[in-house]
Amino acid sequence: MRITIFDSNEELDSRAAALIASTVAERPAAVLGLATGSTPVGIYKALIRQASQTKLSFAGVTTYNLDEYVGLPPEHDQSYAYYMRQQLFDHIDIPLEQTHLPSGMAADLAAECARYDRMLASQPIDLQLLGVGHNGHIGFNEPAEALVGGTHVTDLEPATIAANARFFEREELVPRQAITMGVASILKARQILLVARGADKAQIVKQALTGPISTACPASLLQTHAHVTVMLDKEAGKELMSDDSALHLVYS
Ligand code: GLP
């Protein structure tokens, strides 16, 4: 696990975007696993900028998003499908039919989860971008006694609903359920890029990267993966910097 702590968010965004861009440059038919939330916003902006400067084409790229709210149609401005078009897909040359998110509107959600898993099995992810929730969730895999491997419907924790309420007019409007890729699907990615920013993530970042590997902190499972790159701003990394463990820390 290579952990880099950046002085500025601009530098973090540009280095994270450069990793995604180089994955596509090396493999024009790359399969990218993408994330939503506030963390990737600056990374997508930097990626759009870099792609336009270097004329990088996404025409052969396929994407799979981690998750989607149950009950929000793709036109809803808080759906992750809408977010992805706004933040990334509308600004690069990727054909929309090569971009995939689970549908939270499917009449048969179990069938939708199985369909998503079949697609993921046929197109292994080269690089999975990940944020982390305050409770250690990845995608919407909430802390639990047991985690689910494949794509599934999950109840959101009250803390997650409260954290995501900032994007909605009122907390009551935040969906109570989501479809999420499971932890096994996430861990199947060839490479994982975990990004976190802000002092409010410092504790969970430390727990995830240096604490026990436990389903109580789903992000801690990343410790079992052979190729994880972690990019943090100095606020999110501050608990690690005071730690004298054998982590491979790079200060940038
Ligand atoms: C969300 C998403 C996650 C995301 C996390 C952190 O609810 N389902 O994929 O990584 O919570 O969000 P943020 O980046 O806004 O802190």
Side-chain angles (χ1 to χ4, degrees):
M1 186 176 287
R2 183 188 168 89
I3 304 172
T4 308
I5 299 175
F6 293 93
D7 253 339
S8 82
N9 267 293
E10 291 68 34
E11 177 71 359
L12 189 164
D13 288 336
S14 133
R15 290 275 289 278
L19 179 56
I20 301 172
S22 67
T23 304
V24 173
E26 278 161 30
R27 189 162 184 259
V31 181
L32 300 176
L34 298 177
T36 52
S38 54
T39 305
V41 171
I43 298 172
Y44 293 146
K45 282 199 170 66
L47 183 59
I48 294 162
R49 211 167 37 241
Q50 289 174 21
S52 126
Q53 281 161 1
T54 62
K55 308 219 178 333
L56 178 68
S57 176
F58 288 75
V61 169
T62 301
T63 67
Y64 287 95
N65 263 79
L66 285 166
D67 45 19
E68 179 61 284
Y69 288 118
V70 168
L72 296 193
E75 311 76 51
H76 191 290
D77 66 1
Q78 290 310 325
S79 73
Y80 288 161
Y82 186 94
Y83 169 109
M84 288 309 303
R85 290 195 305 275
Q86 290 277 310
Q87 302 294 338
L88 184 63
F89 298 153
D90 286 352
H91 311 282
I92 55 175
D93 65 343
I94 191 165
L96 271 187
E97 56 276 16
Q98 286 161 217
T99 68
H100 306 284
L101 290 96
S103 167
M105 295 300 287
D108 182 343
L109 290 172
E112 173 62 6
C113 294
R115 182 188 74 89
Y116 208 65
D117 277 344
R118 277 196 304 276
M119 287 196 297
L120 284 168
S122 70
Q123 291 186 298
I125 291 173
D126 293 301
L127 177 65
Q128 174 69 57
L129 175 61
L130 275 187
V132 59
H134 294 105
N135 59 4
H137 72 220
I138 47 176
F140 271 130
N141 292 278
E142 302 279 31
E145 255 176 54
L147 297 176
V148 181
T151 304
H152 59 285
V153 176
T154 183
D155 294 332
L156 302 184
E157 274 203 355
T160 299
I161 293 168
N164 288 1
R166 67 201 145 112
F167 299 115
F168 290 80
E169 258 174 57
R170 297 192 308 281
E171 190 168 319
E172 306 86 79
L173 299 177
V174 183
R176 268 40 189 170
Q177 286 190 314
I179 296 190
T180 183
M181 266 165 63
V183 286
S185 312
I186 294 172
L187 291 169
K188 265 184 216 140
R190 293 197 179 99
Q191 184 177 5
I192 294 177
L193 169 58
L194 174 71
V195 180
R197 2 175 163 247
D200 54 322
K201 297 277 175 77
Q203 261 314 323
I204 198 66
V205 162
K206 181 175 185 187
Q207 193 185 329
L209 303 185
T210 69
I213 297 168
S214 160
T215 61
C217 177
S220 68
L221 271 71
L222 298 174
Q223 294 180 46
T224 67
H225 193 282
H227 197 180
V228 178
T229 300
V230 183
M231 297 191 185
L232 308 169
D233 72 355
K234 56 179 189 293
E235 291 299 317
K238 68 182 181 190
E239 295 289 332
L240 291 178
M241 289 199 264
S242 56
D243 190 283
D244 55 9
S245 69
L247 282 173
H248 180 191
L249 285 181
V250 179
Y251 302 99
S252 181

